Amino acid sequence: MSDEVLTAFDALFELTTRLGESMRADLGAHGLNPARAEVLLVLHRRGPVVQRELSQILRVTPRHVTGLVDTLAEQGWVARTPHPSDRRAVLVGLTDAGTAQATEMHRRRAEAARAWLGDVDPADLTTFRTVLGQVLDRLGSSGER
Amino acid sequence: MSDEVLTAFDALFELTTRLGESMRADLGAHGLNPARAEVLLVLHRRGPVVQRELSQILRVTPRHVTGLVDTLAEQGWVARTPHPSDRRAVLVGLTDAGTAQATEMHRRRAEAARAWLGDVDPADLTTFRTVLGQVLDRLGSSGER
DNA sequence: TATTGTTATACTCTATAACTATA
DNA sequence: TATAGTTATAGAGTATAACAATA
């Protein structure tokens, strides 16, 4: 009983490691890392935002946002434009290439989901998802990024 | 259907992110990081090993092992001793404090397992573990560390 | 000649602090 | 005086390459 809990936890932890490695490898193959990928997804979801806001959404220092945006801009995936009413601020938005990259990321996510879970028995999968949901709920869905 | 796969994958990804954060925080509170914690657990499981072997077990460069062992030795958790028959090599083993720390890590792992999964319905937990096992199996249990 | 570990060096990711331009 | 972003600096984590001691 307590043994089952431990075994399940170990398996979950092992999977955490593997999933992280897999995601980083996939992103790396496309010139991204987790932090920069997250920027692209945020911009895809919310449209252009000011760097200050980006730093709050990502829970990262403003200085770090400068660096992330610098790199993504060099790669051609985001562009800075002046804020229309506040000359201190800078709007960051996706370029066409960035939009394409974000769309492609969603496609690859779906592909990964199928590769990892596509073979699981549907009833088991539902239980699996339910348990994940329970655990996440108890943690509080604080991470609203 | 494919939707269920996607939803489950997203939940899994979210949970693994949280688990990773939680583990790093816990380790950090005890003066460790994932890499150094792994060293302690490996030494606890296998007894003293030569640095070269450690670098292979951890899949990390020999240079990096030097650094990890330096830090852990400064912290008093491991000690270097000369290899009895090969004067090039160095044996790394846990000190008494290191052994205590490793034991304590196992206790904290069990505690975390209960906190995360202790409330889950036993039948659901079994299914959950089974699915995790299936996924890990398909990935190949290559990570024999 | 091959192997073990270390010194020297460098790169990535992220943080804090000081500063500039604007509000 | 407060805010948005940048320059300067630093520290952790990890890698490659060159080298010394030993096998």
Side-chain angles (χ1 to χ4, degrees):
Chain A
M1 41 171 68
S2 180
D3 220 33
E4 184 82 352
V5 170
L6 254 188
T7 308
F9 187 75
D10 281 350
L12 182 60
F13 183 67
E14 172 74 11
L15 202 63
T16 294
T17 307
R18 300 300 195 85
L19 188 55
E21 283 169 8
S22 167
M23 300 303 263
R24 278 192 301 279
D26 180 65
L27 291 172
H30 296 263
L32 288 166
N33 66 11
R36 293 197 285 266
E38 188 67 25
V39 173
L40 258 41
L41 291 177
V42 165
L43 295 180
H44 195 232
R45 200 158 56 234
R46 323 193 18 158
V49 299
V50 162
Q51 287 194 193
R52 177 75 207 294
E53 198 182 345
L54 207 44
S55 101
Q56 288 164 341
I57 295 169
L58 300 171
R59 295 201 212 110
V60 140
T61 59
R63 174 61 184 93
H64 191 201
V65 171
T66 298
L68 293 171
V69 172
D70 282 352
T71 305
L72 289 168
E74 275 166 28
Q75 294 173 318
W77 287 327
V78 307
R80 289 179 165 104
T81 53
H83 189 285
S85 62
D86 184 341
R87 283 197 294 171
R88 295 170 308 180
V90 176
L91 276 174
V92 183
L94 293 179
T95 60
D96 289 346
T99 302
Q101 175 67 254
T103 303
E104 178 63 13
M105 285 169 64
H106 284 298
R107 197 193 57 69
R108 288 206 305 276
R109 179 189 58 125
E111 194 176 279
R114 271 199 311 281
W116 285 65
L117 301 175
D119 288 351
V120 175
D121 172 85
D124 288 353
L125 186 63
T126 299
T127 303
F128 181 71
R129 180 185 50 66
T130 304
V131 171
L132 288 173
Q134 280 173 20
V135 176
L136 281 171
D137 277 352
R138 262 205 309 93
L139 289 177
S141 322
S142 55
E144 196 265 299
R145 341 191 258 180
Chain B
M1 37 170 75
S2 180
D3 221 32
E4 184 83 354
V5 170
L6 254 189
T7 308
F9 186 74
D10 282 349
L12 178 60
F13 184 67
E14 172 76 11
L15 195 63
T16 60
T17 303
R18 300 297 197 88
L19 185 55
E21 283 168 8
S22 166
M23 301 302 265
R24 278 192 301 277
D26 180 64
L27 291 172
H30 295 263
L32 288 165
N33 66 11
R36 293 197 285 265
E38 188 67 24
V39 174
L40 259 42
L41 292 177
V42 166
L43 295 180
H44 195 233
R45 199 157 58 232
R46 322 191 20 156
V49 298
V50 162
Q51 287 193 193
R52 177 74 208 294
E53 197 182 345
L54 206 45
S55 102
Q56 288 163 342
I57 295 169
L58 300 171
R59 296 199 213 110
V60 141
T61 59
R63 174 60 184 91
H64 191 200
V65 170
T66 299
L68 292 171
V69 172
D70 283 352
T71 304
L72 290 168
E74 275 166 29
Q75 293 173 319
W77 287 328
V78 307
R80 288 180 167 103
T81 52
H83 189 285
S85 62
D86 185 340
R87 282 197 295 170
R88 295 170 307 179
V90 176
L91 276 174
V92 183
L94 292 180
T95 60
D96 289 347
T99 302
Q101 174 67 255
T103 303
E104 177 63 13
M105 285 170 64
H106 283 299
R107 197 193 58 68
R108 289 206 306 275
R109 179 188 57 123
E111 193 177 281
R114 271 198 310 282
W116 283 68
L117 301 175
D119 289 350
V120 175
D121 172 84
D124 287 353
L125 186 62
T126 298
T127 303
F128 182 72
R129 179 186 51 67
T130 304
V131 171
L132 288 175
Q134 280 172 20
V135 174
L136 283 171
D137 276 352
R138 262 208 307 93
L139 289 176
S141 321
S142 56
E144 197 265 298
R145 347 189 254 182

